[in-house]
Amino acid sequence: MAWEDSEELRELLDRLKEISYVQPDELPNIDLYMDQVTTFMDRHLASSKRYDEDKLLTKTMINNYTKNELLPSPNKKKYSKDHMYLLILIYYLKSVLSITDIQAILKPLNEKFFDGAGEVPFEKIYEEIFAIQKAQSDVVAKDIARKWKAVQGTYEDVRKKDQQEFLRKLSLICMLSFDVYMKKQIIEQIIDKEFAPHDAQSGEKDEKPEKAKKKEEKAEKKSEKKSEEKKK
C-alpha cells in the first residue's frame, strides 16, 4: 500500500481537520457564571478531548488562573466574553507552555487590551490569532504526511512486521516530538526576551504559578481517579 493511501495516515489527518476553535459568534451575548462557563467550554471544545471523561476546564482551574493573574477577576461572579477568549487561549497554551510562561504572555495582554483598554478589541485579537492557526492547519498536515513517508523507509531489514511497525511508529513519534521541542525552544526564547526579561539583579523567579500548576494537576488527577472508580 502506498504511503499516501494509508488508512491510518488518513485517520490522523482527518483528526486534525476535526480540531476547531470557538467562533466569536458562538459565545453568549451575556456574562456567565462559573458553572455556565465550564459547561460551555466542555461542550464547544469537546473535539479537543483525548478521552471522553477528560475535564477541559474546572472551577479549580479558573480560580487558579485568576490568583496567578492569567485571568482578571470576574465582575460580580460573572465572566464576560473577554474572559472567555482568555480561557480558550489558556486552554491551548497550557498544553505546550508552563503556567509561568503563560502568565508572562497574558499579563501584559490583559493590562493593555482587556475590557476595551486598548485600541484593538479583545475579540479582534482572538480572531486574528485563530485565523493564523487555521491557515497553518494545511501546512501542518502536509508536514506530518512527509514525516510519515520518511519513516516508511526505515527498518527495512527487520523481518518481523510487528517489530518493524513498532519501530516505525516510534520513529514518527520521536520526529514529531523533536519538532515540538525545537519550536518550544523558540517560543521560550521569545518569551524570555520580549515578555519576561531576566532580572539580573535578583535572578529570582516567581514560583507561585508553578505551585498553582502542581495544585491544578493534583486536582485533575483526583478527578480522573474518581472517573476510573465510577467505571469500575
Side-chain angles (χ1 to χ4, degrees):
M1 180 183 292
W3 71 274
E4 299 97 332
D5 299 325
S6 168
E7 183 178 345
E8 192 168 4
L9 175 60
R10 287 201 303 271
E11 288 177 0
L12 288 172
L13 299 183
D14 286 343
R15 178 72 181 86
L16 278 181
K17 294 176 183 178
E18 292 174 4
I19 299 175
S20 59
Y21 79 101
V22 181
Q23 301 286 345
D25 58 10
E26 293 181 273
L27 292 171
N29 290 317
I30 57 172
D31 294 348
L32 304 177
Y33 287 106
M34 190 179 287
D35 284 337
Q36 295 172 309
V37 171
T38 57
T39 300
F40 178 90
M41 293 297 186
D42 200 55
R43 184 171 66 249
H44 285 77
L45 293 174
S47 63
S48 299
K49 285 185 177 183
R50 184 175 183 179
Y51 304 111
D52 291 339
E53 63 272 18
D54 286 350
K55 293 293 182 182
L56 301 177
L57 186 67
T58 66
K59 293 180 180 179
T60 301
M61 293 180 195
I62 294 175
N63 286 330
N64 284 336
Y65 298 156
T66 302
K67 288 177 183 177
N68 292 285
E69 300 182 322
L70 278 70
L71 186 75
S73 299
N75 181 20
K76 297 180 180 179
K77 297 184 178 181
K78 286 189 174 183
Y79 295 83
S80 66
K81 276 190 174 183
D82 283 6
H83 282 107
M84 301 292 279
Y85 293 136
L86 274 172
L87 286 169
I88 296 169
L89 284 175
I90 293 169
Y91 170 72
Y92 286 111
L93 290 173
K94 77 172 194 173
S95 64
V96 179
L97 302 177
S98 69
I99 294 297
T100 301
D101 283 340
I102 297 173
Q103 182 196 55
I105 297 169
L106 296 187
K107 188 175 180 180
L109 174 67
N110 293 336
E111 291 173 350
K112 295 176 181 179
F113 298 100
F114 187 83
D115 198 23
E119 182 179 346
V120 183
F122 230 72
E123 182 172 311
K124 178 65 175 176
I125 296 171
Y126 176 83
E127 287 177 336
E128 288 291 338
I129 289 172
F130 282 94
I132 295 170
Q133 175 268 332
K134 189 175 180 181
Q136 283 295 304
S137 295
D138 289 341
V139 177
V140 173
K142 290 177 181 178
D143 181 60
I144 291 173
R146 283 194 296 268
K147 286 181 169 62
W148 179 279
K149 180 182 180 181
V151 300
Q152 299 313 303
T154 61
Y155 300 105
E156 292 184 338
D157 57 335
V158 177
R159 295 180 181 180
K160 293 184 177 180
K161 290 296 181 183
D162 60 332
Q163 292 185 12
Q164 183 188 68
E165 184 67 15
F166 170 81
L167 291 171
R168 285 177 175 176
K169 291 288 176 57
L170 177 63
S171 294
L172 180 62
I173 290 171
C174 289
M175 287 178 71
L176 293 172
S177 298
F178 187 62
D179 183 66
V180 173
Y181 169 77
M182 289 191 296
K183 289 174 180 176
K184 185 178 179 183
Q185 292 293 310
I186 297 299
I187 293 169
E188 290 175 349
Q189 287 181 42
I190 295 172
I191 292 172
D192 291 343
K193 183 178 179 181
E194 305 295 339
F195 291 87
H198 181 69
D199 189 341
Q201 293 182 346
S202 66
E204 295 179 356
K205 188 175 182 180
D206 187 3
E207 296 295 334
K208 290 182 181 179
E210 290 303 326
K211 289 181 180 179
K213 182 180 180 181
K214 289 180 180 178
K215 186 176 180 181
E216 179 185 315
E217 289 173 347
K218 187 176 180 181
E220 289 176 0
K221 287 179 181 178
K222 189 175 181 181
S223 177
E224 289 173 1
K225 187 176 180 181
K226 286 183 180 179
S227 297
E228 290 297 325
E229 289 174 352
K230 287 181 181 179
K231 287 181 180 179
K232 293 178 181 178

